[in-house]
Amino acid sequence: MSNPAEAVASEAASDGIAMQPYPVTRIRNTSGSAWTNWVELYRYRDLFQYLVRREIKVRYAQSAIGVGWAVLQPLFTMLVFTVIFGRLAKLSSDGAAYALFSFAGLVPWMFFSNAVTDGVNGLISGASMMSKVYFPRMLMPLSANAARMIDFVVASVVMSGLMLWYGVAPNWGLLALPWILAVMALCTSGVTLWLATFAIQFRDVKHALGFIVQILMYAAPVVYPASLVPDAYQRFYAINPMVGVIEGIRAGCLGTRAMPWDFLLIGTISAIALFGTGVTYFNSKQRVFADLA
């Protein structure tokens, strides 16, 4: 018989053994639509939670200071930026203390850069898992992104402590934080899916990843305020979703400017576009991941 399960059942029946038919799972190639397979992703939510926990444990299991790295990394970077850009270059900080100004930019940026790096490398390192068992491949980069939220929360607590130290209180603009975080998550996931798909096909992307992330940092207002960008280019500049995220956090926490609703609106549109096209491209290429990784 052409079906192995039917052949085994027939042989058992000839020996007088009653057997239940084996369940047959058919794995088919899916379309590249950005909105397909979400039901399947929901069914694998337990695997997603396991992958997130594994990412966190692997990162901190054999680390001497554990989650303390989520504090030290932005803190020491803030000190370097304060000396170089605040004291020597004397860049504007929109009226806020430069240390606090730079840390407010580093908190979302560190999440973005670390999450993208982990997501790209995690998909490549998970090649053996992809070749042995079927699961939605998108879970691997997205779980790496989600695991970095621990670092974001810890760094945000440190940010709150610095605000108390400098005597700065948040304002009503902070109510836009859920919107800001949604834009940050969509942008991070979209960039991760694009770069992870490229990295599977072209290993040059993995080697250039650090350089790419560094260049992207200077394309966002991490060490300088968006007010330094000429007015004629402000809307074009806001196409980068992290511009609205960083400026929105500074506006809500430090009051450096009015809440940049125009930046957030433009950034939301581009973040949705990044995520939607990233999912589409990822789905269109995932059938060859196990062979290329």
Side-chain angles (χ1 to χ4, degrees), residues 83-101:
V83 172
I84 296 177
F85 299 106
R87 298 290 179 84
L88 299 180
K90 298 186 182 302
L91 287 179
S92 170
S93 56
D94 286 344
Y98 190 86
L100 192 57
F101 173 87

Side-chain angles (χ1 to χ4, degrees), residues 46-59 139 142-148 150:
D46 291 338
L47 176 60
F48 178 78
Q49 294 171 6
Y50 166 77
L51 291 174
V52 172
R53 290 194 300 269
R54 189 191 67 169
E55 285 284 339
I56 296 172
K57 289 179 180 178
V58 168
R59 188 185 311 143
L139 292 180
L142 294 185
S143 64
N145 288 175
R148 279 292 176 180
I150 296 293

Side-chain angles (χ1 to χ4, degrees), residues 169-248:
N171 54 65
W172 289 105
L174 199 61
L175 294 176
L177 188 61
W179 181 8
I180 294 171
L181 295 183
V183 174
M184 182 181 72
L186 283 173
C187 173
T188 302
S189 298
V191 173
T192 299
L193 292 173
W194 270 107
L195 291 180
T197 309
F198 283 139
I200 285 287
Q201 301 172 84
F202 313 105
R203 292 307 170 87
D204 295 344
V205 175
K206 179 182 178 181
H207 300 310
L209 187 59
F211 174 73
I212 293 172
V213 171
Q214 186 177 16
I215 292 297
L216 289 175
M217 186 188 76
Y218 292 104
V222 179
V223 299
Y224 59 88
S227 58
L228 292 183
V229 178
D231 292 340
Y233 301 103
Q234 289 270 325
R235 299 292 176 87
F236 178 77
Y237 182 57
I239 292 176
N240 178 356
M242 292 304 295
V243 171
V245 169
I246 294 173
E247 287 293 296

Side-chain angles (χ1 to χ4, degrees), residues 13 20 37 60 67 91 96 114 138-139 148 159 161 168 182 185 200 203 213 225 278-279:
Q20 295 294 328
N37 294 332
Y60 300 121
V67 76
L91 287 179
N114 290 331
M138 202 182 302
L139 292 180
R148 279 292 176 180
M159 174 72 182
V168 176
I200 285 287
R203 292 307 170 87
V213 171
V279 171

